[in-house]
Every structure is written in C-alpha cells, then in structure tokens.
Amino acid sequence: MDVNGYRSDGVGAAVALVNFWTVDNASPDAPPVTVEALRELLAPFSFLTRDLRAPEVAQLAEWGTELRGIFAADELEAAVGLANGMLERVAMRPRLVDHGYGLHVHYAPSGVPFAERVRINTAIGLANLLAEHGIERSGVCAADRCERVYADTSRNGRRRYCSEACANRANVAAHRARKRAASSVAD
C-alpha cells in the first residue's frame, strides 16, 4: 500500500475535488451540492466519508478551488509556493497506525473533522507529487475547451489529458487537421 507517494489517495482526491468544484459544479446554474454527492465523490480515496457533515461542504468547495492553482501553475516555483502555503495552514501530526491495512502513516491528528483530514491528505499528496516529479506529472487537460485537471501516476509519465476520451478526441482532431492540410497541399 503506497500511502506516502504520488500514487496516494490524496492526489486522486485533489484531482476529484478540483474537477468537481471548478468544472462540474462551477456554473451558477448547477444544483446545490449534497453531502451524499460529496461522500460518493470521495469514497474511492479511502476516506471515512460517513464523517462528512453539511457545514464542511463549503470548506471543501473553497479548498478544491484553491487546489486548482497547483495544477494550473506554469512554473515549479509557483506550484511549490502554493503547496507550501497550504501545508502551513493544515495541522499535521504524522503518526504510525495499523487498523487492519498494515502499518502506515496518518498525517491528520486523531479526531480532526472530515474536511481537515481531506485538506491534510490532499496537501501532502500534492507536495509529494511536486517533490518527486515537479509539475511534469500534473496539469490542466491539453484538449481544447476542457478545463479538467489530471495527475499522472503512470510509469512513463507522459499524460497530458484528463481522460482517455479527451485524448482520443484530440488525436482524432489532429489526424483530421493533418488530412485536411495534406489534401489542400495536393490540390
């Protein structure tokens, strides 16, 4: 179980929160976000989502919006500055625990509210990602008109799109553009 590296649940949760708050629910016409919707969003990232309370929804919205800056940063220094600012504002108390998953590190102090656990884990996950790979493994999708973010956890680290669908659309569009250019040269 890799809980400390860039493949940790904190990085995945950061991507999910940013896309949820800054793309999927960014429109003023979007329906209000429910606690249940946020629990469903964060459940795959090993959080005890039953602890999420309604007042924390707004805190997580603000945090998701703030996290976007790290993904959108064009320079490592800017991303590091944002990450360090976030790390300064979370109360970490790392400790070793074993509750049936093997010995591993928890960064959040025992008993902190759910939103603070999410803030701590996403901040440390992105800090580890930056420390290990700089800004080369994260960013905003390269597809036209897509604003979703991604974090690359693959072996080769060449991802530039938020999803296979965006990558496929971009590749098809590039192929068609090359075909049009070749046919106009031939005419």
Side-chain angles (χ1 to χ4, degrees):
M1 172 187 239
D2 183 11
V3 296
N4 295 324
Y6 69 93
R7 293 184 180 117
S8 72
D9 291 332
V11 173
V15 169
L17 282 171
V18 170
N19 289 333
F20 185 78
W21 290 111
T22 68
V23 180
D24 303 339
N25 292 286
S27 166
D29 302 337
V33 173
T34 65
V35 169
E36 194 51 46
L38 206 47
R39 284 179 177 155
E40 189 175 308
L41 176 78
L42 294 172
F45 305 106
S46 302
F47 289 103
L48 296 174
T49 58
R50 69 177 181 266
D51 294 345
L52 174 63
R53 302 293 176 251
E56 295 174 301
V57 171
Q59 294 169 11
L60 291 173
E62 184 178 317
W63 188 250
T65 301
E66 188 174 349
L67 288 169
R68 184 176 187 81
I70 293 175
F71 292 95
D74 291 330
E75 295 181 10
L76 180 59
E77 293 81 22
V80 167
L82 292 168
N84 280 337
M86 291 174 181
L87 288 169
E88 288 173 6
R89 295 189 340 262
V90 295
M92 284 191 278
R93 270 204 114 98
R95 66 197 194 304
L96 290 169
V97 296
D98 184 357
H99 44 84
Y101 300 107
L103 195 59
H104 60 280
V105 177
H106 275 204
Y107 295 100
S110 186
V112 299
F114 180 83
E116 188 63 9
R117 291 195 309 262
V118 171
R119 288 167 38 105
I120 291 166
N121 283 304
T122 55
I124 198 69
L126 290 178
N128 281 323
L129 178 68
L130 290 170
E132 292 175 26
H133 300 288
I135 59 172
E136 305 305 315
R137 293 282 184 121
S138 62
V140 178
C141 184
D144 287 341
R145 296 184 302 274
C146 183
E147 293 297 318
R148 298 177 73 76
V149 300
Y150 66 90
D152 187 349
T153 59
S154 70
R155 184 179 294 251
N156 68 9
R158 295 191 171 165
R159 186 171 174 181
R160 296 180 340 167
Y161 299 96
C162 68
S163 66
E164 289 289 325
C166 274
N168 290 338
R169 276 193 296 275
N171 289 333
V172 168
H175 173 73
R176 289 179 179 158
R178 284 190 304 273
K179 248 179 127 172
R180 279 191 303 275
S183 70
S184 69
V185 169
D187 292 339

